[in-house]
Amino acid sequence: MKDVVALGELLIDFAPVSTDDAGYPTLKAQPGGAPGNFLAALQQYGCSTALIGKVGDDAFGRLLIGTLDSLGIGTRGIIADACAFTTMAFVTLDGTGNRSFSFARKPGADTCLRTDEINRSLIEECRVFHFGTLSLTDEPARSATQAAVAFAKEQGKLVSFDPNLRKPLWLSEDAAKEQIEWGLHQADIVKISDEEIEFLWGLSPEEGAQKLLREYGVKLVYATLGPKGCHFANRQGCGQVDSPKGLHVVDTTGAGDIFGGSAMSQFLRLNKAPEELTVEEMRAVTRFACCAASLSTQTHGGITSVVPEEQVCAIL
C-alpha cells in the first residue's frame, strides 16, 4: 500500500547556471514537475509513493522515470508516449532566487494522459491522492484528472490539492479560476500560496484559509507566505510559522511543492484526521515543512533539492 499517489506532470526544468556577454543563458536540465517534487519530499521523509502521469518515449522521459525509480517513487502508473515530447520548462531567476517559467508544452506529454490510462489500482491502494492544476489546463488530461479525483473520493481516500498557478499555461485567467475552484471543492487538504489567494478572491491569507474551511469543505489549510513562512488552519484553530532566517537562497524552484510533501509526511505520522489536528500539532508539521522548503532553496532544482531529514531537524 502506498501512502500517497499523485497525478500530474513530470517534466524537465532547464535552469540557468551562467549567462554570456550577449545575455544568453547556459541551461542545466533537471528533473521536475510539481507532483514529482511533492513525492520526492514524501519519499525522502519516510513515506511510500507513486506517480500517475505521462512522459514522452524519448531520452528525457526515460531519464525522468529512472530518476523516480532511483528515489523509490513508484512508476508503474507512468505512460511513455511515442507520439508526444516530454514537457520542458525554462526557468529564469531574479537576484533573490525567485523564478518564472516558460513552457514547451504544445502539447507536452503530460497533457495527453487519457482517462483509460489511469492506473486505478494505485489509487485503490493509497492513503492520500494528490493533484494540482497543471493537469487541468488541457484535454485529455483534464478529464483524466477529474475521473481520477472522482474515483479517489469514491474509494474514501483523503484528497490533497495544490493550485500551483502558472498563468502562461491557461487560455485566460477566468479559465484558471474555474479549474482551481473545482479543485478546491474536491480537497480535504489544501496547500495554497498567498498570491493564489489574492488571485482568486483578493483576500489575505488568513481570510482565504477561513473561506476554504467554511465554504469549500476543506479540512486542513496551509497558506504559504513565501519567505515569511506559512499560515495554517483547521476547525481546531490557526497560527503562523516563520521561515528560518539567514539561509542564502539560490533557487526557489519546487520549494512550494517540497513544503507540501514535507508537511504531508509529518501529517501522516500523526495518524489523525486532518480536521482533528491540534494547533500545536499543525504548528509542528508546518515548522518542519518550512525548514525543509527553505533548505531546498539553497541549490538548484526541485526533485534533487530535497535535503535529508537530519538537516531539517538540525535547524528546527
Side-chain angles (χ1 to χ4, degrees), residues 9-14 32 54-56 58 60-61 64 84-90 103-112 134 169:
E9 70 279 6
L10 189 63
L11 51 78
I12 298 292
D13 286 323
F14 286 93
K54 180 174 280 192
V55 296
D58 50 36
F60 282 139
L64 287 166
F85 286 108
T86 298
T87 300
M88 294 177 284
F90 297 90
F103 291 87
R105 192 183 187 237
K106 297 180 180 180
D110 69 295
T111 69
C112 299
L134 266 67
L169 293 177

Side-chain angles (χ1 to χ4, degrees), residues 285-314:
V285 166
T286 307
R287 284 184 67 226
F288 182 94
C290 281
C291 290
S294 296
L295 287 170
S296 77
T297 68
Q298 294 188 291
T299 186
H300 288 286
I303 288 175
T304 57
S305 69
V306 184
V307 303
E309 186 165 353
E310 53 267 28
Q311 292 186 31
V312 182
C313 293

Side-chain angles (χ1 to χ4, degrees), residues 6-7 10 14 18 30 46 55 76 133 187 189 194-195 197 204 254 287 303 305 307:
L7 181 149
L10 189 63
F14 286 93
S18 64
Q30 297 169 320
V55 296
R76 64 185 171 95
T133 55
I189 300 173
D194 51 357
E195 293 177 349
I197 290 173
S204 70
R287 284 184 67 226
I303 288 175
S305 69
V307 303

